[in-house]
Amino acid sequence: MATRPDSVAEPPAAPLPGPLTEAYGQRWRRLVDRWAERPGTVLATLGPPGTSSHLAATFLAGRHGLRIELSDTFDAVLAALVERRVDQALVPSAYQGLTRFHWHRDLRLEAYFAQATPEYGIAARADREPSGPVGEVTVAALWEVRRIFADLAPAPLADRPVRWVDADSTQHAAEILAAGGADLAVTNAPGVRRHALRWVASRPGAEIVWTLFGHR
């Protein structure tokens, strides 16, 4: 059948260059083989339970018989790996300190994969509105996800000055909000559920690259 003149054929998806595809596959085969040989390999990542990192680690652990160790910060994850208290570390590419893992002389990047995070957004306590209709609003958030607030804030909040309350994880941000330490939090769906919060605005999760580091 002839193609209509006004139609535009979609170009075929370009495959990864052969060397990249092979290198990616080899990394995963080596890693999966090692996990099979060493049941109970300890994988460290950011906690507490419900962080996007914990959910990604759980995805791997359920399929490959890994044990998960959660730390309060990625500094603690790095220390545990360098001191060989754990076998590997799972770190999202969005983490601002990722270069410390890449450039550490005793570590190596073993594999990487893409997976979506849960729903993210701006949360408030279920029992009250953010303090007052005007003036400064305090927002608990990880540095890496502050941008979500600017992207999602509805009109009544968008023009208000923000004072940031630093959090170590999405769950920590939700905990700060629930305890009254902030008016709002940038967190994920598990954080909202765990602390009985409500969404002010939310967005679907983002697909990001997760990196797996081990010992050189």
Side-chain angles (χ1 to χ4, degrees), residues 159-181:
D159 296 330
R160 295 175 63 177
V162 173
R163 178 169 64 84
W164 295 103
V165 179
D166 291 331
D168 295 324
S169 68
T170 51
Q171 305 310 294
H172 187 213
E175 180 183 346
I176 291 170
L177 171 60

Side-chain angles (χ1 to χ4, degrees), residues 78-144:
L78 178 62
L81 184 60
V82 171
E83 294 166 11
R84 294 182 176 266
R85 290 184 277 113
V86 299
D87 301 304
Q88 292 167 330
L90 175 69
V91 189
S93 60
Y95 171 52
Q96 64 169 330
L98 182 60
T99 54
R100 288 182 295 159
F101 288 81
H102 279 297
W103 288 103
H104 198 287
R105 64 184 180 183
D106 297 327
L107 305 181
R108 65 183 295 268
L109 176 66
E110 294 195 314
Y112 45 88
F113 64 98
Q115 182 161 307
T117 68
E119 183 181 13
Y120 267 70
I122 304 168
R125 284 175 53 169
D127 59 351
R128 69 180 185 185
E129 293 294 323
S131 57
V134 295
E136 184 179 76
V137 62
T138 57
V139 182
L142 278 165
W143 183 90
E144 289 86 348

Side-chain angles (χ1 to χ4, degrees), residues 31 34-35 41-44 81 86-90 110 213-214:
L31 189 57
R34 195 182 325 151
W35 285 339
T41 294
V42 182
L43 178 64
L81 184 60
V86 299
D87 301 304
Q88 292 167 330
L90 175 69
E110 294 195 314
F213 286 87

Side-chain angles (χ1 to χ4, degrees), residues 193-216:
R193 291 193 297 268
R194 183 178 184 183
H195 294 279
L197 306 176
R198 63 178 176 84
W199 287 125
V200 173
S202 65
R203 55 148 292 166
E207 189 175 52
I208 64 174
V209 173
W210 298 88
T211 59
L212 285 154
F213 286 87
H215 304 116
R216 188 174 294 281

